[in-house]
Amino acid sequence: MIPYIAFNFKVLCVAQPSDMSLTQEQIQRIAHLARIALSDEEAMATRDQLEGIFGLIEEMQAVDTTGVEPMAHAQEVRQRLRADLVSETDQRDLFQAIAPEVEDGLYLVPKVIE
Amino acid sequence: MNSWEIIIGIETHVQLATVSKIFSGAPTMFGAEPNTQACAVDLALPGVLPVLNKKAVECAIRFGLAIGADVARRSVFARKNYFYPDLPKGYQISQFELPVVSGGQLAIAVGQGDQAYEKTVRLTRAHLEEDAGKSLHEDFHGKSGIDLNRAGTPLLEIVSEPDMRSSDEAVAYAKALHALVRWIGICDGNMQEGSFRCDANVSMRRPGQPLGTRREIKNLNSFRFLKEAIDYEVRWQINELEEGRPIVQATVLFDPGSGVTRTMRTKEDAHDYRYFPDPDLLPLVIGEDWIAQVQAALPELPGAKKARFMSEYGLSAYDAATLTAGLEMADFYEAVVAVAGKAQAKPCANWVMVDLAARLNKEDREIGASPVNPAQLGSLVARIADQTLSNNIAKKVFEALWNGEGTSVDDIIEVQGLKQITDSGAIEALIDAVLAANVAMVSEFKAGKEKAFNALVGQVMKAAKGKANPQQVNELLRQKLQ
């Protein structure tokens, strides 16, 4: 198992040259995936931050982990399981009271058709 | 010119038979009022955390053991990130690098009669994940309506290797998988309600060449649509390739109305899901003791049952396969044999596979809803074996049972006077009367017309109201005519 941060690294590291510089296009693509609108200025600042993170990752990647079992969690703990029982009651009215718009029991959202 | 080889792999979303959701205690019942089964966890309200449903994990273990796969002693849940309003968290909890089930295989039976053959399809993996909600796009004054009842419903996504070579093989695989998940009780198999949905990955290649570019047909919820969609897609891809246009990787939707597949998105705008382990969930550890427990509780599987039906009851491979196509059918058959006796195993098979199946088919009923129960059918077969009933009269008794004219075979025989006449003296008397009344036919037979013999048999049976033992009638009539 690759530690969690490495996953993000893989995503960001789209055929990165060794100096780890990101193009504006890559920054905007990452921003789009996260549905974050970035101005060109913000994108520049974000690039600097991300490259800083790459530096940290590089440092970690440089550590020799031969023979160390990959981990998915920092502690030796396991997932607890719950019995298959219904424990929740219908609270639709309560939940829908804070929704911007509802109709016929449905939450209404801007039209989405793929 | 070289022909094209069709390459098909199938991903199936199997809804697991739990009463509560995979990460919350909300109910999973189908058909509830919108959003009445969506709790704070399913709605992704701030501060909630997922807690894994033990039964969902057990279903995955069951499946893994049933297909001879590796059940991971340690697997990990991951977030699959994408934005869609029916996915309130902005990610689906799934499994990525370490799924709960890896490998395994499924035997499939393709085609019928002389064209029938068996094949083994390898499975890649099966992983646990949550379903999304439902978007309703019609008629909300320009808005979409969201129902989150289905959000968080446990799914097992089962991925096959690209081992299928025709739409018939794809359908055979889907049917075998459908039968298996019902057999081991992890899914109700209701395709109309979306409990069993297939995606088909289809590509073409010249035999011996590397795999071609594939297109994925999404969300096929009937065997017929699966076949139609693949057949259309195959024709379309071959046409494109022969016209010199390369296939572009894409996700497509099948429209059952027009029978056509349409591109939903191509690779350029394909989702980049940015999977990473979900920090809200710890690694799932499955102990040896749990696996042993699930193994011990597993029913006899279709393949093993089929082999036993052949050795224990002397059935042909075809009969054994037909009777083990579903657990209800197999149990029904064995209950019939238990009453009729093992010596009648073959006639029992015929009654279940032919007479009962045809009658069920005609009324579109499942075997569980058969008005004739196994004990009744078993005693019917026993009454044929002990010569109380001829086969023809037995069909009448079967009808009577089906229509509820009586509950016991013996009572129906008694009340409706259907007992077979096996007394030679009585049959001879009937024959004598028929011969005396049909002198012309007798002389035709003596002149060499074999047809006349059958006509005379018919007359005797008519005189006996169908109740005379046909074999005895044949023998005695021959003797008399010599």
Side-chain angles (χ1 to χ4, degrees):
Chain A
M1 196 67 217
I2 311 160
Y4 152 29
I5 198 158
F7 276 79
N8 282 340
F9 176 71
K10 274 204 296 194
V11 170
L12 299 177
C13 180
V14 196
Q16 280 302 304
S18 56
D19 67 354
M20 289 294 169
S21 66
L22 284 162
T23 64
Q24 280 298 101
E25 205 185 354
Q26 286 168 322
I27 295 288
Q28 289 298 351
R29 161 114 179 111
I30 294 160
H32 172 71
L33 285 172
R35 299 295 187 275
I36 296 170
L38 288 183
S39 67
D40 286 350
E41 256 172 46
E42 287 168 326
M44 289 294 279
T46 306
R47 193 184 69 173
D48 291 343
Q49 288 168 2
L50 283 174
E51 282 174 358
I53 293 171
F54 280 166
L56 291 174
I57 293 168
E58 270 206 329
E59 243 174 82
M60 286 191 278
Q61 297 283 70
V63 177
D64 181 8
T65 54
T66 319
V68 179
E69 201 192 329
M71 61 188 219
H73 197 274
Q75 286 174 289
E76 256 323 304
V77 282
R78 58 176 66 182
Q79 180 60 38
R80 286 185 59 177
L81 304 172
R82 44 169 268 274
D84 179 29
L85 297 169
V86 173
S87 54
E88 297 286 341
T89 51
D90 172 21
Q91 298 189 74
R92 184 176 75 178
D93 292 345
L94 192 61
F95 295 141
Q96 297 204 328
I98 55 169
E101 201 175 349
V102 294
E103 190 175 310
D104 297 342
L106 298 163
Y107 294 92
L108 295 194
V109 298
K111 190 133 195 147
V112 271
I113 290 195
E114 225 169 327
Chain B
M1 196 191 69
N2 276 336
S3 58
W4 293 98
E5 187 180 23
I6 305 166
I7 310 287
I8 305 165
I10 293 183
E11 293 168 23
T12 310
H13 287 91
V14 168
Q15 185 180 318
L16 299 175
T18 60
V19 298
S20 68
K21 294 192 175 170
I22 184 167
F23 297 118
S24 83
T28 55
M29 224 144 46
F30 183 81
E33 282 292 300
N35 292 307
T36 54
Q37 297 188 157
C39 72
V41 174
D42 309 324
L43 294 177
L45 293 184
V48 297
L49 283 172
V51 189
L52 184 56
N53 185 332
K54 186 177 179 187
K55 174 89 182 287
V57 178
E58 190 164 311
C59 288
I61 300 173
R62 268 181 160 241
F63 179 74
L65 294 174
I67 56 159
D70 177 45
V71 175
R73 293 338 188 230
R74 186 171 161 281
S75 67
V76 170
F77 285 93
R79 291 184 180 182
K80 176 179 179 176
N81 300 279
Y82 66 94
F83 290 99
Y84 207 72
D86 59 23
L87 187 76
K89 290 194 295 297
Y91 58 86
Q92 176 193 29
I93 304 177
S94 181
Q95 296 192 298
F96 189 53
E97 294 205 335
L98 292 176
V100 64
V101 170
S102 304
Q105 57 185 46
L106 190 64
I108 65 170
V110 193
Q112 290 187 327
D114 295 348
Q115 311 292 312
Y117 62 96
E118 289 189 10
K119 174 169 178 159
T120 299
V121 173
R122 294 167 301 151
L123 299 185
T124 314
R125 59 184 276 158
H127 64 254
L128 285 163
E129 62 182 30
E130 59 180 339
D131 208 344
K134 225 155 101 179
S135 306
L136 303 157
H137 299 300
E138 64 279 340
D139 213 24
F140 293 101
H141 28 88
K143 303 215 165 185
S144 290
I146 306 294
D147 176 6
L148 295 169
N149 279 350
R150 205 180 58 186
T153 298
L155 300 177
L156 189 65
E157 179 174 333
I158 300 164
V159 183
S160 86
E161 290 287 305
D163 281 355
M164 287 146 279
R165 295 290 173 271
S166 67
S167 60
D168 286 337
E169 289 187 4
V171 169
Y173 166 79
K175 283 187 172 169
L177 188 63
H178 185 254
L180 180 66
V181 296
R182 292 181 63 206
W183 187 290
I184 61 176
I186 66 168
C187 173
D188 67 16
N190 191 323
M191 296 177 83
Q192 281 82 41
E193 293 177 3
S195 297
F196 188 93
R197 322 191 282 265
C198 293
D199 303 338
N201 284 292
V202 180
S203 65
M204 298 294 147
R205 71 169 172 195
R206 298 292 190 191
Q209 296 295 305
L211 292 176
T213 305
R214 66 167 198 261
R215 304 212 315 160
E216 181 181 19
I217 315 167
K218 279 279 185 199
N219 258 330
L220 298 160
N221 66 353
S222 86
F223 298 127
R224 187 162 66 90
F225 294 163
L226 177 64
K227 181 167 169 58
E228 288 175 5
I230 292 172
D231 285 343
Y232 175 85
E233 180 65 21
V234 164
R235 284 195 302 274
W236 184 86
Q237 287 194 18
I238 289 176
N239 188 53
E240 290 292 294
L241 291 164
E242 307 236 311
E243 307 256 311
R245 289 188 291 269
I247 301 297
V248 178
Q249 191 177 329
T251 303
V252 304
L253 282 179
F254 176 67
D255 173 22
S258 59
V260 162
T261 55
R262 284 206 187 85
T263 305
M264 196 165 108
R265 54 176 181 259
T266 54
K267 201 187 176 186
E268 287 83 71
D269 49 23
H271 289 307
D272 181 342
Y273 292 122
R274 295 152 297 145
Y275 283 97
F276 63 87
D278 190 333
D280 287 344
L281 288 155
L282 300 168
L284 169 62
V285 175
I286 298 173
E288 301 300 330
D289 48 340
W290 193 9
I291 292 177
Q293 256 175 42
V294 175
Q295 179 81 61
L298 214 55
E300 184 182 28
L301 295 169
K305 204 180 274 287
K306 182 187 158 199
R308 183 169 62 77
F309 277 17
M310 292 170 71
S311 63
E312 192 175 337
Y313 302 129
L315 298 182
S316 69
Y318 177 81
D319 288 358
T322 307
L323 290 169
T324 54
L327 187 56
E328 294 93 343
M329 169 96 109
D331 286 346
F332 193 102
Y333 170 69
E334 288 210 276
V336 174
V337 175
V339 172
K342 264 192 205 178
Q344 300 305 314
K346 177 60 186 164
C348 287
N350 288 341
W351 274 93
V352 173
M353 284 164 35
V354 183
D355 302 274
L356 178 66
R359 204 68 179 76
L360 289 169
N361 232 348
K362 203 168 143 194
E363 296 194 7
D364 202 18
R365 285 182 193 241
E366 295 291 319
I367 197 160
S370 166
V372 180
N373 66 41
Q376 291 169 329
L377 193 55
S379 55
L380 184 67
V381 175
R383 288 292 164 265
I384 302 167
D386 69 13
Q387 306 246 314
T388 306
L389 292 174
S390 68
N391 255 312
N392 271 336
I393 299 282
K395 288 188 205 301
K396 275 195 194 169
V397 177
F398 178 78
E399 274 303 307
L401 287 169
W402 185 280
N403 297 323
E405 290 165 33
T407 51
S408 127
V409 171
D410 289 340
D411 286 354
I412 292 173
I413 295 171
E414 184 68 34
V415 170
Q416 305 196 7
L418 298 172
K419 191 172 181 329
Q420 183 165 241
I421 304 167
T422 51
D423 174 49
S424 309
I427 296 176
E428 278 184 65
L430 286 166
I431 292 175
D432 288 342
V434 166
L435 291 183
N438 294 278
V439 182
M441 268 192 223
V442 174
S443 35
E444 272 179 40
F445 173 74
K446 292 202 164 150
K449 271 202 174 170
E450 187 62 26
K451 256 191 180 169
F453 182 79
N454 294 333
L456 286 165
V457 170
Q459 289 297 321
V460 176
M461 290 306 285
K462 198 176 155 195
K465 298 197 176 74
K467 290 186 287 186
N469 179 306
Q471 247 178 318
Q472 280 176 291
V473 171
N474 264 288
E475 282 165 19
L476 293 169
L477 187 62
R478 284 253 179 238
Q479 281 172 21
K480 296 238 173 220
L481 288 170
Q482 259 167 14

